[in-house]
Amino acid sequence: MTTTHLMNTYARQPVAFVRGEGAYLWDEAGKRYLDAVAGVAVNALGHAHPRLVKAIAEQAATLIHSSNLYRVLRQEELADKLCALSGMDRAFFCNSGCEANEAAIKLARLYGHGKGIELPTIIVVEKAFHGRTMATLTATGSRKIQAGFEPLLSGFARVPFNDIEAIRHVAEHNKSVVAVLIETVQGEGGINILPAEYLAELRTLCDAQGWLLMLDEVQTGIGRTGTWFGFQHAGVVPDVIALAKGLGGGVPIGACLARGAAAEVFTPGTHGSTFGGNPLACAAALATLETIEAEHLLDNARLRGDAIRAGLRGALDGVHGVLDIRGEGLMIGIELDRPCAELVGVARDAGVLINVTADSVIRLVPPLIYGADEVDLLVATVADVVRNYLQQAA
C-alpha cells in the first residue's frame, strides 16, 4: 500500500522494512537483506543493538525532553566525551548534519564579523555535500541540489577538490575569507578521499591567514573510517567539526564542536535549538560511543573495510568498466565508467542493500559491526551484480 499524502521528495524504492537485527533487515514479506547502506551511514551499531535499545528504553522511561532553558545532564556528559575524543573544547547540539554545518557556517560568519570583516566568506569545494538548508545547499558543490532554489546566499568561494594552489589563489585576492569548510572524504560526491598531505597544508594555510579550518565529519565521524574522526588519519586538528549520522546510532542528533577562539564565538542568544541535545538523543549517542569502545569497532571498521576492498579488487580484477575501488574503513566506493543507478534494484533483488552516488559510484557504508560472514556475502553479491551488469552492457 502507498499513500498520496506524503510530499513527493523521494524516489522511494518499492520495499518497506519492518524489523532489523544486527546487519540485516526484513521486509513485509519476510525476506532478509544484508544492509550495506545503514540508513546512509547512520546505523553504526546495526539494527536493534541490545546496548542501544536498553539505553533508549531506560532514558525514555526516565526523561525524554526538558529544554535547553535548563541544564541537561546527559548533554553535558556527551559534550565531555566528544571533546575528549576529538580534542575540541565545546559542543553545540542539534538534530542533523545540515544543522551542524549550519551552526558551523553561522559560527564562521560571527567570527569574521568579530574581526571587523563586513562580508565574511567561507571557502568550499566542488562536489561537496553539506546539506539542504539554504546555507548548506549553497555551500554544497552540486547544481543538482541547488537548482530551483535561487537566489543562493552570498559569502562562499568555491575551489576544486584537492587543489591547495586554488585556495592559495583565493587567499591572495579575497581578504574577506574567514574559514574553509571541507569533508575529509566526500560521501555524496563519490567517496573522494582528501589526502593527508593536503589537509596538513590546509591547516598551515589556515593558521597563516587566521582562518578557521572547519571539517564536515557528518558522514566520516564516529568511527566510519576506522578512527573516531576522519581528520585523525592526517594528524592535524581542525577548529570546528560538524557531526551527525552515526552519532546517535539511528536516533537523530547532530553536533558542532569547536576549540580555541572558535569555541568562544557563540554566546547566549546567538544560536539555539529546541530539541537539540535532549536527554533521549544524548543517551543514545553515549550508548553508541560506549559500544564502539567496548566492542572495538574502530579496529573492526578498519579490518572489515580492508577485507571488503581486497575482496572486491580480487573479484573484479580485469573486469572492463571498473575504474576504481577506494575508501577508508567502512566507507567504500566502486567507480564504474558509466551511470549505474539501476544496480541498486538489482542488488536489492539479490538480497543486498547498496547505494549509488555521483551517478557512477557504488557507495557501501555498512554498519561497523560487520563480521567475516557479512564481508563474504557482500563481496560475492556486489561483485556478481557489477560483473553481470558490465558484461550485459558490453
Side-chain angles (χ1 to χ4, degrees), residues 76-384:
E76 294 174 8
E77 187 180 352
L78 179 59
D80 289 347
K81 183 67 176 178
L82 286 173
C83 287
L85 293 174
S86 65
M88 298 293 108
D89 295 327
R90 294 183 184 274
F92 168 82
F93 290 104
C94 48
N95 310 286
S96 65
C98 67
E99 289 179 72
N101 279 319
E102 186 87 17
I105 291 167
K106 289 181 68 176
L107 187 156
R109 288 189 169 198
L110 205 52
Y111 172 79
H113 283 298
K115 296 172 66 175
I117 297 173
E118 186 176 352
L119 297 171
T121 298
I122 300 170
I123 294 176
V124 292
V125 305
E126 296 174 357
K127 296 184 180 179
F129 182 84
H130 299 297
R132 294 176 184 270
T133 62
M134 280 309 303
T136 57
L137 77 83
T138 301
T140 289
S142 167
R143 279 301 299 155
K144 181 179 177 182
I145 300 294
Q146 297 170 341
F149 297 106
E150 297 85 355
L152 303 179
L153 302 184
S154 60
F156 294 93
R158 194 172 308 283
V159 298
F161 182 77
N162 191 22
D163 186 344
I164 197 71
E165 291 305 319
I167 295 185
R168 289 198 176 99
H169 181 77
V170 173
E172 291 175 7
H173 296 88
N174 188 338
K175 301 306 176 187
S176 293
V177 173
V178 296
V180 179
L181 175 62
I182 195 167
E183 300 157 280
T184 56
V185 180
Q186 290 185 331
E188 295 295 323
I191 315 296
N192 303 313
I193 302 169
L194 201 62
E197 301 77 18
Y198 173 96
L199 201 52
E201 287 190 70
L202 187 57
R203 175 71 274 178
T204 300
L205 185 56
C206 286
D207 288 341
Q209 297 291 334
W211 301 344
L212 300 179
L213 176 55
M214 308 199 301
L215 298 183
D216 178 345
E217 294 255 12
V218 168
Q219 194 160 155
T220 51
I222 316 300
R224 171 60 51 192
T225 68
T227 54
W228 281 111
F229 307 97
F231 71 82
Q232 290 170 332
H233 291 286
V236 303
V237 181
D239 301 297
V240 179
I241 307 169
L243 298 173
K245 287 196 179 288
L247 179 56
V251 175
I253 182 170
C256 178
L257 311 182
R259 72 179 177 102
E264 307 302 324
V265 170
F266 284 146
T267 54
T270 52
H271 195 47
S273 170
T274 296
F275 294 105
N278 74 22
L280 183 67
C282 289
L286 284 164
T288 299
L289 298 177
E290 290 164 2
T291 303
I292 290 173
E293 286 184 324
E295 299 186 4
H296 308 290
L297 295 183
L298 299 183
D299 293 338
N300 195 60
R302 289 192 293 270
L303 176 70
R304 305 306 179 192
D306 288 345
I308 292 170
R309 281 185 291 278
L312 289 170
R313 284 171 183 146
L316 295 173
D317 183 39
V319 175
H320 180 71
V322 178
L323 297 183
D324 194 18
I325 297 170
R326 56 180 178 262
E328 272 187 330
L330 285 172
M331 192 170 181
I332 299 161
I334 308 164
E335 184 175 4
L336 306 187
D337 66 353
R338 66 203 73 180
C340 58
E342 65 194 86
L343 294 186
V344 171
V346 176
R348 187 186 65 243
D349 290 345
V352 173
L353 303 178
I354 65 170
N355 174 248
V356 169
T357 189
D359 294 330
S360 59
V361 179
I362 299 168
R363 175 171 51 173
L364 306 175
V365 282
L368 308 186
I369 57 164
Y370 255 37
D373 290 346
E374 285 73 37
V375 169
D376 291 344
L377 178 56
L378 179 65
V379 168
T381 305
V382 171
D384 278 350

